[in-house]
Amino acid sequence: MAHFVIVGAGECGARAAFALREKGFGGNITLIGTEPLAPYERPPLSKGGWDPSPEPKFIAALERYRDQSIDLRLDTTVTAIDPAIKTIRLAGGETLGYDKLLLATGASARGFPGIGGVSQRISVLRTHADAVALHAALYPGQHIAIIGGGFIGLELAATARMRGADVTVIEGLPRVLKRGVPDAIAEAITGRHCQEGVDIRCGQVIEAVQEDADKAIVHLASGEAIFADLLLVGIGALPNVALAAEAGLAIDNGIAVNERLETSIADIYAAGDCCSFPLALYGGRRVRLESWRNAQEQANLAAANMLGEGAEISAVPWFWSDQYDLTLQIAGLADEAVAHVRRDLDDGAFILFHLDADGRLLAASGIGRGNVIARDIRLAEMLIAARAHPDRNALAASSVRLKSLLAA
């Protein structure tokens, strides 16, 4: 009987295991995770002023894994892969053979130079345990310093303020979200944080970080020292590739896969945060995406291709962030756009459409309260997938329904 092994019991790995069963795979499935908890959703760890309970939002109850005959092994580390004989080795010395192997090893919080790791006064956010510990430190009278003005740093800044803590965000680039969103959206986000009392410091160089029994101290090149009860490092994540690299798989900003999520070694696949892949929609450009929806989509695609379907990546990249009452959504990749068209909606919401030199829609970025932008971003996503060249005046006019442009 065939044995499929999945290394990584997060969003992608767990959903791939269930997708294999849904597609009719009757062989053995082993799902291996390093955390002691069953697979859970990660977005709630940072979004929406979270209040983590002793248990996170699980992807499925343990009974469902048993019902689907999925051998879920928690608190287990894979130490090596031997592609030549198609086995993996576990930390306790046990070896498992596989017919197909999926690596869904995710990513880890990026460390800041000069900071050895987490401690009583220095934290990161990647796991539910991190969230519970961090949550306990967010209350009125506490000063939280955050290194990094990206999505994770700003989401946590919003949460800390919603819980009454004082917050200082330290960003090395000239503005927040420099790599993620256009200037206009960054300005809107910055304004909202300032309105809530967050002290945002951009263009700052950190010379050193110290820690004593009571405070974390960030020394800036300007000579200023910022004292905080807790320092949060939120400067992105690095793909977990060590296991793959040691097994000889190609690495390129993650485990390199093709459009079918196949790695450089036969019968080994990779999906989710840990892998980089070519996007035909953008000329075969290789990208790596850290998003909830990408993990779900690639879980299904990996399962299909482990079963020989030969399906290719076709999804449009999509990302969202919740901060206070604002929701930001991005569809597509905007960094190669040369023209930008703005559509203003109600209550200060707006969408920016990003086009290339020929007028093709490459991406759309929007911000607004609640779900006001959701439908238009979804329609923009469909226009991007269709490689549409929509009329710019129609894009700008809120009276023109995007659905009509899709029909055209």
Side-chain angles (χ1 to χ4, degrees):
M1 184 177 292
H3 184 199
F4 287 4
V5 174
I6 302 171
V7 180
E11 184 83 38
C12 186
R15 294 198 182 276
F18 288 119
L20 285 168
R21 290 296 187 224
E22 290 165 7
K23 291 177 179 294
F25 179 63
N28 297 318
I29 300 175
T30 301
L31 175 61
I32 302 170
T34 57
E35 292 189 55
L37 295 171
Y40 58 86
E41 303 276 8
R42 293 190 189 274
L45 300 186
S46 65
K47 298 184 190 319
W50 93 106
D51 186 5
S53 63
E55 290 189 345
K57 182 181 178 181
F58 291 114
I59 292 171
L62 287 174
E63 291 77 12
R64 190 176 171 209
Y65 295 91
R66 290 193 288 268
D67 291 344
Q68 295 290 312
S69 298
I70 296 169
D71 180 12
L72 176 60
R73 302 198 182 193
L74 302 174
D75 205 13
T76 301
T77 300
V78 178
T79 59
I81 303 167
D82 190 336
I85 56 174
K86 300 177 77 169
T87 62
I88 63 168
R89 185 171 68 247
L90 307 183
E94 181 183 1
T95 61
L96 297 174
Y98 66 83
D99 293 284
K100 299 284 178 69
L101 174 66
L102 172 61
L103 300 179
T105 48
S108 299
R110 185 188 298 269
F112 189 83
I115 298 179
V118 298
S119 63
Q120 182 180 358
R121 297 291 172 184
I122 300 174
S123 181
V124 298
L125 178 60
R126 193 69 192 177
T127 68
H128 180 260
D130 294 335
V132 171
L134 182 59
H135 182 270
L138 303 183
Y139 54 85
Q142 291 288 96
H143 181 207
I144 310 300
I146 299 172
I147 298 178
F151 289 110
I152 188 68
L154 294 179
E155 287 175 359
L156 288 171
T159 294
R161 284 302 296 140
M162 291 165 72
R163 291 185 54 79
D166 296 323
V167 180
T168 300
V169 175
I170 307 164
E171 170 57 54
L173 295 174
R175 67 161 172 86
V176 300
L177 299 172
K178 182 70 175 175
R179 298 185 182 92
V181 303
D183 289 347
I185 290 181
E187 289 172 7
I189 287 287
T190 299
R192 189 72 179 87
H193 278 281
C194 291
Q195 181 183 357
E196 294 292 335
V198 177
D199 182 10
I200 296 180
R201 311 281 191 92
C202 292
Q204 300 295 321
V205 175
I206 296 174
E207 287 197 336
V209 174
Q210 290 180 304
E211 180 184 9
D212 59 29
D214 299 319
K215 300 286 183 182
I217 309 164
V218 182
H219 295 275
L220 303 179
S222 63
E224 182 182 3
I226 296 175
F227 294 81
D229 297 294
L230 180 70
L231 175 63
L232 176 70
V233 180
I235 55 173
L238 294 172
N240 294 325
V241 300
L243 186 66
E246 290 169 4
L249 277 69
I251 307 296
D252 184 359
N253 184 31
I255 304 170
V257 298
N258 63 14
E259 64 278 2
R260 295 177 297 278
L261 298 178
E262 298 165 329
T263 70
S264 58
I265 294 180
D267 296 325
I268 301 180
Y269 300 76
D273 292 6
C274 69
C275 78
S276 68
F277 54 92
L279 265 179
L281 189 61
Y282 295 92
R285 172 182 171 186
R286 182 167 289 277
V287 300
R288 186 175 68 85
L289 301 178
E290 296 171 14
S291 78
W292 171 79
R293 196 167 86 177
N294 179 66
Q296 291 189 332
E297 290 169 343
Q298 291 197 347
N300 290 324
L301 184 66
N305 289 335
M306 291 171 79
L307 295 173
E309 292 187 18
E312 297 188 355
I313 297 168
S314 60
V316 176
W318 179 86
F319 182 83
W320 101 102
S321 177
D322 290 333
Q323 298 173 40
Y324 308 109
D325 56 348
L326 295 178
T327 294
L328 182 158
Q329 290 191 27
I330 302 168
L333 302 176
D335 53 338
E336 295 182 352
V338 298
H340 311 277
V341 177
R342 176 167 172 152
R343 170 181 288 225
D344 287 303
L345 305 173
D346 295 335
D347 198 23
F350 64 91
I351 295 175
L352 295 172
F353 298 97
H354 312 285
L355 303 102
D356 68 12
D358 295 326
R360 177 187 155 197
L361 183 62
L362 297 178
S365 309
I367 189 169
R369 288 180 171 83
N371 292 321
V372 67
I373 63 169
R375 187 179 73 168
D376 279 354
I377 289 292
R378 176 57 183 151
L379 290 168
E381 185 181 339
M382 297 168 73
L383 286 166
I384 293 165
R387 303 173 187 252
H389 293 67
D391 180 81
R392 297 188 187 191
N393 291 329
L395 287 177
S398 59
S399 59
V400 176
R401 298 179 64 187
L402 291 183
K403 193 172 183 178
S404 67
L405 302 183
L406 187 64

